[in-house]
């Protein structure tokens, strides 16, 4: 038996980075007091979701990882509390900017980072203006408590991301998120679809999924607004929702898993034993055609 307790948090953000970091710290400390050893904070929690607008001023928010205030703040807290913290940041690297997650282990050590692979671009979510596509590839980390994989927001819609991390041995999948209403269509509500997609990742890989979203309404600079719908959740290894937050309350979700029992279940199902990677060549193309010659037939 190898039990690990995880937490997902959700909160509203303001334009004050210090205030946001302090609020996140409060949630981390509360989650740790409830036994959580790996604690997920939402995507880009240091600021408002600036990607609503294409504004060159917001490019100045990016910082090199060594200078990031949230990483520097939470490393000693991780060590103090003995918790693992994936920290979402806006990274400046050379002449490029990335949407990045930094993994802080329970001793405060930085295990590495992952740069968001899938970058969305749509009304209210103009992330291609701010972020280059990640160049790290999908990654997993051996933390004190478990081997974890982390995708970032739009990554969570792609089964290839979850499967790649599971194939690399991830025992838990984490997704920090910023998603809500669609400025161009107020009738569109993707909350259920969003959850079901990740529940499918959990079920297909027999690997728990932990998703943390933000809450609150944030106004853009040009007449738009997004109401983030919260609904953070933790799914078990067959896709069932174990814990779920509401759409508007600051929340901490805590759930324990026996990773050894889940590993036995995963092996018994044979979903990795029975894979046929030699048949998956269309996944390596954009149009599903495996070769130029085949496209001409």
């Amino acid at each position: 038996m190898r039990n690990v307790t995880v937490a997902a948090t959700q909160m509203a953000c303001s334009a004050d980075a210090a205030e946001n970091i302090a609020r996140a710290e409060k949630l981390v400390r509360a989650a740790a007091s409830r036994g959580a050893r790996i604690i997920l904070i939402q995507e880009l929690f240091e600021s408002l979701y600036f990607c609503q607008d294409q504004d060159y001023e917001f490019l100045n928010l990016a910082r090199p990882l060594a200078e990031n205030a949230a990483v520097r703040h939470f490393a000693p807290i991780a060590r103090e509390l003995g918790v693992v913290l994936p920290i979402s940041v806006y990274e400046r690297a050379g002449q490029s900017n990335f949407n990045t997650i930094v993994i802080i282990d329970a001793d405060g050590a930085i295990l590495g980072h992952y740069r968001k692979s899938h970058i969305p671009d749509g009304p209210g979510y103009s992330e291609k203006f701010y972020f280059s596509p990640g160049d790290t590839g999908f990654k997993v980390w051996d933390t004190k408590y478990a081997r974890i994989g982390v995708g970032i927001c739009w990554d969570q819609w792609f089964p290839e991301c979850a499967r790649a991390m599971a194939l690399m041995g991830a025992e838990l999948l984490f997704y920090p998120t910023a998603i809500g209403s669609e400025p161009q269509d107020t009738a569109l509500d993707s909350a259920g679809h969003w959850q079901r997609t990740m529940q499918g990742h959990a079920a297909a890989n027999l690997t728990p999924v932990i998703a943390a979203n933000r809450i609150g309404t944030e106004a853009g600079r040009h007449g738009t607004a997004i109401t983030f719908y919260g609904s953070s959740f933790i799914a078990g290894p067959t896709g069932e929702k174990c814990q779920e937050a509401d759409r508007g309350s600051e929340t901490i979700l805590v759930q324990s898993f026996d990773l050894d029992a889940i590993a036995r279940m995963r092996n018994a199902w044979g979903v990795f034993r029975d894979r046929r990677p030699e048949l998956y060549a269309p996944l390596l193309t954009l149009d599903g055609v495996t070769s130029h010659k085949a496209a001409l037939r």
Side-chain angles (χ1 to χ4, degrees), residues 18-286:
E19 180 181 276
N20 295 330
I21 289 172
R23 183 177 292 119
E25 179 185 341
K26 180 189 72 171
L27 295 178
V28 165
R29 290 187 179 278
S33 73
R34 293 171 57 183
R37 300 295 90 187
I38 309 175
I39 303 168
L40 184 63
I41 309 168
Q42 66 213 34
E43 181 187 23
L44 298 173
F45 65 89
E46 290 182 272
S47 66
L48 296 171
Y49 182 72
F50 51 85
C51 304
Q52 282 196 66
D53 305 298
Q54 294 187 11
D55 193 321
Y56 289 103
E57 177 185 341
F58 292 134
L59 295 172
N60 296 324
L61 294 174
R63 293 287 183 274
L65 295 183
E67 299 174 14
N68 180 266
V71 174
R72 295 170 72 172
H73 182 88
F74 279 104
I77 290 172
R79 182 172 60 249
E80 173 196 344
L81 300 176
V83 298
V84 175
L85 298 174
I87 300 295
S88 172
V89 301
Y90 187 18
E91 178 195 3
R92 180 71 171 171
Q95 298 301 314
S96 296
N97 296 333
F98 298 97
N99 188 333
T100 298
I101 199 84
V102 176
I103 309 301
I104 306 176
D105 207 0
D107 61 357
I110 306 299
L111 295 184
H113 64 277
Y114 162 72
R115 292 169 173 163
K116 186 173 181 177
S117 299
H118 303 95
I119 310 298
D121 186 35
Y125 300 89
S126 296
E127 295 197 11
K128 280 186 167 64
F129 183 82
Y130 295 100
F131 311 125
S132 294
D135 58 358
T136 59
F138 305 124
K139 302 181 76 171
V140 297
W141 294 272
D142 289 313
T143 73
K144 180 177 180 179
Y145 304 110
R147 190 171 223 200
I148 68 171
V150 185
I152 304 171
C153 200
W154 191 226
D155 287 335
Q156 67 208 356
W157 294 87
F158 294 84
E160 297 87 351
C161 175
R163 176 52 57 92
M165 293 187 290
L167 283 171
M168 291 187 283
E171 298 172 295
L172 299 162
L173 299 176
F174 293 83
Y175 292 101
T177 302
I179 189 171
S181 59
E182 302 290 337
Q184 83 285 5
D185 184 357
T186 57
L188 180 58
D189 185 344
S190 63
H193 185 186
W194 173 74
Q195 289 187 336
R196 289 189 294 273
T197 297
M198 284 181 281
Q199 288 175 259
H201 301 335
N205 295 291
L206 286 99
T207 303
V209 164
I210 300 91
N213 193 18
R214 67 171 64 200
I215 56 173
T217 298
E218 299 182 15
R221 290 189 168 182
H222 304 291
T224 63
I226 294 176
T227 297
F228 295 94
Y229 50 59
S231 305
S232 303
F233 71 102
I234 299 173
T238 60
E240 74 282 11
K241 283 191 283 190
C242 302
Q243 304 285 339
E244 180 179 6
D246 67 18
R247 297 174 71 104
S249 302
E250 185 171 284
T251 305
I252 301 167
L253 305 175
V254 176
Q255 181 69 33
S256 295
F257 294 106
D258 181 346
L259 299 183
D260 286 340
I262 292 172
R264 289 192 295 272
M265 181 191 304
R266 189 183 302 116
N267 288 334
W269 271 97
V271 294
F272 291 94
R273 178 199 65 203
D274 296 339
R275 292 181 69 252
R276 296 289 306 281
E278 72 276 14
L279 303 180
Y280 304 155
L283 295 179
L284 301 178
T285 72
L286 287 176

